[in-house]
Amino acid sequence: MAEIKAHEFDRLLSRATDLYRIFLVYGPDKGLVSERAKTLAEKAGVNVDDPFSYARIDLSELQGDPGRLIDEVNSLGLFGGRKVIHLRGSGAEKIVADAVAAIDSGRIPDNILIIEGGDLKKGSALRKNAEQAKIAVAIPCYSDDVKSLNALIDHELAQADLRITPEARSTLLEALGGDRVASRNEIRKLILYCMQQKQIEQEHVTDIIGDASAISADDAVDCVLAGDLDGLHRAIQKIVQSKQPIFLVLQSCLRTFQMLDAMRAEMEDKRLQSAQVMQTSGRHIHFKRKPLMEKALRSWSSTSLARETQRLHTAIYQSRQQAQLDDSIAFQTLLASALQSQRVNRS
């Protein structure tokens, strides 16, 4: 049985392809799932541009041929050597779970199978089979916390030989999170903008990442939590008029719901009142927002918070896939979350 913690991936990477043949990369952060799957493929030592050593398969291609995945994993390369089979678009599909079990029960293949899974639940067949297989490892990918985001910033800045002031870092962190690829792209955009500078200042961050102030973003998020549709429209209009992306509000809303989810879990685990949790986990929240956040803690259940967080994750991923619909996806998702807040607040 092999299942690693999310933070253990870098330590595993150096010997991953020697220890395992099947890698299930799953979780709510689709950007991180994609990034880690690509890193594993490169670590296997094959040329990802060579179709004879690297096969990319979409789940839809297996629907009429469920045995294809097993055949690909057990096949021999045309010119010898190891192959990597990269399956994308997978979720909790039975044909993939069955294939993992079948491959594990046979001889150990020379080839590598990398599966990009969705946000798989603990009891899903695919995740269960991967965790129990002798030659497989399950790799979870959760949204970056502040520590991970700081590490990502440090890595990208070191590559560019750039420094950043504490104020600029704090502002940048506010604009990141939710999706690893989106966060990395925002940092690289900032680096490109500051290529002729010796140090990144706060004004550089607001210039290129977007100077929709935290207050404006917080206003919109607060309207979402309050279920205030008219207020949300006004807050979004203010941001649009300032020519800043609504996407930043979507990210801020995601971080807020993630924080509420963690605080709600603490309430239930330690049997605390919402006011007690606000004094510990919520002590950094601005005092003007605390009443609304405390009300949300009392109103939203863990299940509802998890569902809303997943909705926001999906919207961020879709907005990156369909950049031309970025604003529309963000606005519709924020509106849906505000409507859900109305229902929760009435119940």
Side-chain angles (χ1 to χ4, degrees), residues 212-246:
S213 68
I215 294 176
S216 297
D218 285 348
D219 285 346
V221 174
D222 288 351
C223 289
V224 169
L225 290 178
D228 181 0
L229 302 186
D230 291 338
L232 177 61
H233 276 281
R234 289 192 297 271
I236 294 299
Q237 284 178 347
K238 185 187 299 183
I239 292 171
V240 170
Q241 288 169 1
S242 66
K243 301 187 184 302
Q244 303 308 320
I246 304 176

Side-chain angles (χ1 to χ4, degrees), residues 20-90:
Y20 305 105
R21 293 294 183 270
I22 301 173
F23 298 88
L24 171 61
V25 192
Y26 72 94
D29 190 333
K30 294 180 175 62
L32 185 55
V33 168
S34 176
E35 185 175 281
R36 284 183 169 174
K38 180 181 177 182
T39 301
L40 285 166
E42 293 170 346
K43 190 63 180 178
V46 303
N47 181 1
V48 295
D49 296 319
D50 180 3
F52 296 111
S53 60
Y54 179 74
R56 183 182 287 110
I57 303 174
D58 289 322
L59 180 66
S60 58
E61 299 176 46
L62 302 180
Q63 301 300 336
D65 186 9
R68 179 184 172 188
L69 191 59
I70 300 173
D71 293 339
E72 289 279 1
V73 173
N74 291 319
S75 66
L76 298 175
L78 184 62
F79 302 106
R82 172 183 284 176
K83 287 176 56 179
V84 169
I85 296 85
H86 186 167
L87 176 63
R88 300 185 304 176
S90 178

Side-chain angles (χ1 to χ4, degrees), residues 213-281:
S213 68
I215 294 176
S216 297
D218 285 348
D219 285 346
V221 174
D222 288 351
C223 289
V224 169
L225 290 178
D228 181 0
L229 302 186
D230 291 338
L232 177 61
H233 276 281
R234 289 192 297 271
I236 294 299
Q237 284 178 347
K238 185 187 299 183
I239 292 171
V240 170
Q241 288 169 1
S242 66
K243 301 187 184 302
Q244 303 308 320
I246 304 176
F247 177 75
L248 295 178
V249 183
L250 195 62
Q251 286 185 319
S252 182
C253 196
L254 173 62
R255 287 194 294 271
T256 299
F257 272 94
Q258 287 174 326
M259 180 171 58
L260 285 169
D261 192 21
M263 292 167 72
R264 181 73 193 192
E266 183 180 354
M267 278 178 60
E268 295 175 355
D269 289 345
K270 299 180 180 179
R271 298 183 180 180
L272 301 174
Q273 297 298 317
S274 57
Q276 293 174 289
V277 176
M278 289 297 296
Q279 291 174 0
T280 55
S281 300

Side-chain angles (χ1 to χ4, degrees), residues 170-183:
S170 178
T171 303
L172 178 58
L173 284 169
E174 285 295 317
L176 304 179
D179 182 278
R180 170 65 69 86
V181 171
S183 295

